[in-house]
Amino acid sequence: MQAKKAILTALFLGTATLTAGAYADDVGPDQAMKLVQEGKVKSFEELNKAAQAQHPNAKIEETELEKEFGGYVYKVELRDQDNVQWDVELNAANGEVIRNERDD
């Protein structure tokens, strides 16, 4: 019985890991530039400006392009003049803000 339980647990954890990985994949620099050139995502300059428009005078600390649910999401971490960190996510294809939250 214990062996059966261990096998089922291992299968569940393996499936959960595979499922989680299928929803968000980091896009490498070469692939990102290709997507910009193909017009599948906006330029990073445009996306950075869209993120900074949410928090004027904030500085970009980190950016990341991910493939999620068949589309691309540009994630930006900003720090404002009050030292508050913000997480902004944009639809990389059109620059629309998906999420704009204070990072705790």
Side-chain angles (χ1 to χ4, degrees), residues 12-54:
F12 173 75
L13 291 174
T15 303
T17 302
L18 289 173
T19 303
Y23 291 116
D25 291 320
D26 288 341
V27 176
D30 292 338
Q31 185 183 4
M33 291 309 297
K34 184 177 178 186
L35 292 167
V36 170
Q37 291 170 348
E38 292 172 348
K40 292 182 179 178
V41 300
K42 290 194 166 284
S43 74
F44 301 115
E45 183 177 276
E46 288 177 88
L47 293 169
N48 287 339
K49 284 182 184 178
Q52 284 184 306
Q54 302 300 306

